[in-house]
Amino acid sequence: MATVSSTIDWGRLPSVIIVEILKSLPPTDRINASATCSRWRQCLFHPSMWRKLQLGLTTPNECEKANFLSTRCGNFARYFSVEWFDDSESSKRALAVLQRLTRNRKLNRLCLYACNSEFDDETLDGFIDTMEEILLISKKLQYLSFGYIHELVDPELLYGLGDNCGSSLTTLHLASLLPDDPGPGIPAQCLRALRNLKVLSINYDDLSGELFSLLSQPNRAKLRNLLVLADGLEHDKPKITNAMWQGLVACNPQLKVTLSLLSVPPSEIVDVLRPNMPLSTLRIMYSGPIPRSTMDFVSTYHSKTLESVYLHEHIDSDEPPSLLFPDNEGVEDPMVMLAWRCYKVSCLSIIGYEIMDENLIAIARLRGPKLKVLEVLSDYIVDQLTGENGATDEVVTQISHSLGQDWNPVESVEEPTFPAILKSDLLITAD
């Protein structure tokens, strides 16, 4: 009796059927199935199957794949992201991939990512020219990330973005890691034409009264997420006052602020915080000992909005770690007070600081199952009685019971931690 495979001429199936079959398969099986015949290979690159391209340039195989897919699908992919290393050769490879988007009229999302990239002048000029070409033709762009690459955040490019995508763009990631001499910042007027922005990431030094006023205009979409990165602080910059935040929130009542402080001197952290800032996520990274007054301020003024806290410091085996908050007789630990006051906190990550086991247990009891993420390095948990480092089984059991789930301390992390954290911000969209 004839089998099904011997009675069907798979090469003569209608293209629409072949495409539907391929779409139902995982990527590897899809490629294997395309070897059936030339007709199936042609259908493999139907636009409906390659709406989303996420490319990396970190290995030779990834580079080869990125070159092939960007050549075949760069003209019609709707979602395009590319990530590369921070050396100049990787930047040149990324430019070659990006140049294949210059005829794509259907592009909805463009995400670049490369912390601390290096460019020679020719490559940088090529990037800016290519971005101008892409933005000129991509009238439906809804999402754009410059991937923390300071050199690409060019004011003229932003004016062009407003001219071509002013009504479509809802998410814009402009925040960048700053070089020693960053030069002029972003003029607020660059964003005037982008009237439908709902998600914006930007450097703290680019915040201004003019920008807050622009974002508060009645003819604009309501801003939902403002992600602010302070990579050090510019000391001669006018301060953002509490009244400015109050006015911004009045016009954008659902606004959530993510504040990432990177290498900001501890004494200057409180200069950034304001009572009327709708702080949802606070990250203090590689800034040294954190003043007790800083966390007291946060738990006092942001008890109704705070959801996530990240306190990260270098893990240096040559230097003894600092206790997050040394005991102060008669005064409750600031993190315990934060867990008590801030009833929305669901994520707490403490890396590179020591913390007393009794305080950790108290935090878990106060937050209970609502605390979905609790990250603490095992060797940085200090026994309150003996002063020895390391989480005992009893501590792990108590915390697991309070959280309502199996919990274990973190054994190790990849340093520095901030690139992965900042990369996760790029997932925040207006969708």
Side-chain angles (χ1 to χ4, degrees):
M1 187 172 70
T3 63
V4 172
S5 61
S6 65
T7 59
I8 296 178
D9 186 349
W10 295 98
R12 299 186 65 180
L13 285 175
S15 297
V16 64
I17 301 297
I18 298 175
V19 169
E20 289 303 315
I21 292 173
L22 292 173
K23 285 169 65 175
S24 69
L25 299 176
T28 301
D29 292 342
R30 187 182 296 173
I31 293 172
N32 291 337
S34 70
T36 302
C37 64
S38 60
R39 195 140 182 270
W40 280 62
R41 285 194 294 275
Q42 292 172 359
C43 291
L44 177 63
F45 293 100
H46 190 276
S48 65
M49 285 190 291
W50 300 95
R51 294 177 184 272
K52 187 174 184 177
L53 284 182
Q54 293 178 280
L55 307 178
L57 297 171
T58 57
T59 68
N61 285 341
E62 284 187 347
C63 291
E64 184 178 356
K65 176 183 175 181
N67 285 326
F68 178 76
L69 289 178
S70 60
T71 300
R72 293 298 300 262
C73 310
N75 286 342
F76 52 76
R78 304 288 182 88
Y79 176 120
F80 193 94
S81 70
V82 59
E83 178 179 353
W84 67 95
F85 282 137
D86 55 7
D87 60 273
S88 58
E89 288 303 313
S90 292
S91 295
K92 291 178 181 178
R93 288 192 285 269
L95 174 58
V97 168
L98 199 62
Q99 287 172 333
R100 296 173 186 132
L101 298 179
T102 54
R103 296 182 180 180
N104 189 334
R105 297 180 180 274
K106 298 182 178 181
L107 193 64
N108 293 142
R109 296 183 60 175
L110 176 58
C111 180
L112 310 181
Y113 179 71
C115 283
N116 295 320
S117 287
E118 294 181 5
F119 300 93
D120 56 41
D121 291 342
E122 182 180 356
T123 304
L124 179 57
D125 290 342
F127 258 99
I128 293 176
D129 290 344
T130 300
M131 289 295 292
E132 287 178 348
E133 289 185 58
I134 292 172
L135 298 180
L136 185 63
I137 199 171
S138 301
K139 305 291 186 180
K140 299 179 180 179
L141 198 66
Q142 299 172 2
Y143 169 106
L144 176 61
S145 161
F146 286 93
Y148 301 102
I149 307 169
H150 175 73
E151 293 84 355
L152 295 187
V153 186
D154 179 74
E156 292 303 318
L157 202 60
L158 295 179
Y159 281 118
L161 178 65
D163 292 339
N164 295 294
C165 308
S167 60
S168 65
L169 198 74
T170 59
T171 302
L172 179 60
H173 290 282
L174 292 177
S176 61
L177 296 173
L178 300 178
D180 293 335
D181 184 16
I186 301 172
Q189 291 303 313
C190 289
L191 307 182
R192 178 174 293 279
L194 300 172
R195 55 188 178 277
N196 281 321
L197 276 185
K198 297 177 182 177
V199 177
L200 173 65
S201 78
I202 195 167
N203 285 77
Y204 179 78
D205 288 341
D206 289 320
L207 296 181
S208 64
E210 183 181 8
L211 177 62
F212 277 31
S213 177
L214 186 151
L215 296 174
S216 301
Q217 291 178 349
N219 62 336
R220 299 181 64 88
K222 301 299 182 184
L223 196 64
R224 296 206 306 250
N225 293 90
L226 180 61
L227 299 91
V228 180
L229 172 61
D231 183 11
L233 290 179
E234 184 181 330
H235 292 95
D236 57 353
K237 175 188 179 297
K239 291 184 178 181
I240 303 301
T241 66
N242 196 47
M244 291 178 186
W245 282 109
Q246 186 176 21
L248 183 66
V249 173
C251 297
N252 300 274
Q254 303 302 316
L255 181 63
K256 292 184 177 183
V257 170
T258 294
L259 180 61
S260 299
L261 305 175
L262 182 60
S263 301
V264 173
S267 60
E268 298 179 14
I269 293 175
V270 75
D271 292 335
V272 177
L273 297 167
R274 292 291 180 266
N276 282 321
M277 176 192 292
L279 186 63
S280 174
T281 298
L282 174 65
R283 302 175 182 136
I284 302 176
M285 300 178 287
Y286 307 109
S287 296
I290 301 170
R292 182 180 290 262
S293 58
T294 296
M295 300 315 298
D296 286 337
F297 183 99
V298 170
S299 64
T300 299
Y301 291 105
H302 303 292
S303 60
K304 296 181 179 180
T305 61
L306 192 66
E307 299 175 6
S308 301
V309 178
Y310 297 76
L311 307 177
H312 289 199
E313 188 50 80
H314 291 288
I315 301 171
D316 190 343
S317 57
D318 296 330
E319 292 288 336
S322 58
L323 192 63
L324 183 55
F325 295 109
D327 282 342
N328 191 343
E329 189 174 352
V331 179
E332 189 60 78
D333 181 84
M335 297 308 296
V336 174
M337 293 301 296
L338 183 143
W340 176 52
R341 291 170 174 164
C342 302
Y343 58 88
K344 290 185 177 180
V345 167
S346 61
C347 174
L348 179 59
S349 178
I350 301 172
I351 303 295
Y353 295 100
E354 290 185 330
I355 184 169
M356 293 294 181
D357 57 359
E358 291 298 324
N359 291 332
L360 204 56
I361 292 169
I363 290 169
R365 286 175 177 170
L366 286 167
R367 297 303 310 134
K370 294 180 180 178
L371 189 60
K372 304 300 183 183
V373 177
L374 178 60
E375 295 178 338
V376 185
L377 280 170
S378 178
D379 291 341
Y380 285 64
I381 299 174
V382 182
D383 189 298
Q384 186 87 22
L385 298 177
T386 67
E388 295 181 354
N389 288 59
T392 64
D393 291 342
E394 177 62 23
V395 169
V396 172
T397 299
Q398 289 193 50
I399 293 176
S400 297
H401 177 74
S402 296
L403 298 181
Q405 61 177 313
D406 289 338
W407 178 86
N408 283 291
V410 178
E411 294 301 327
S412 63
V413 295
E414 182 177 347
E415 282 205 286
T417 58
F418 71 85
I421 292 174
L422 295 181
K423 182 180 177 181
S424 70
D425 283 346
L426 303 183
L427 299 175
I428 299 176
T429 72
D431 300 338

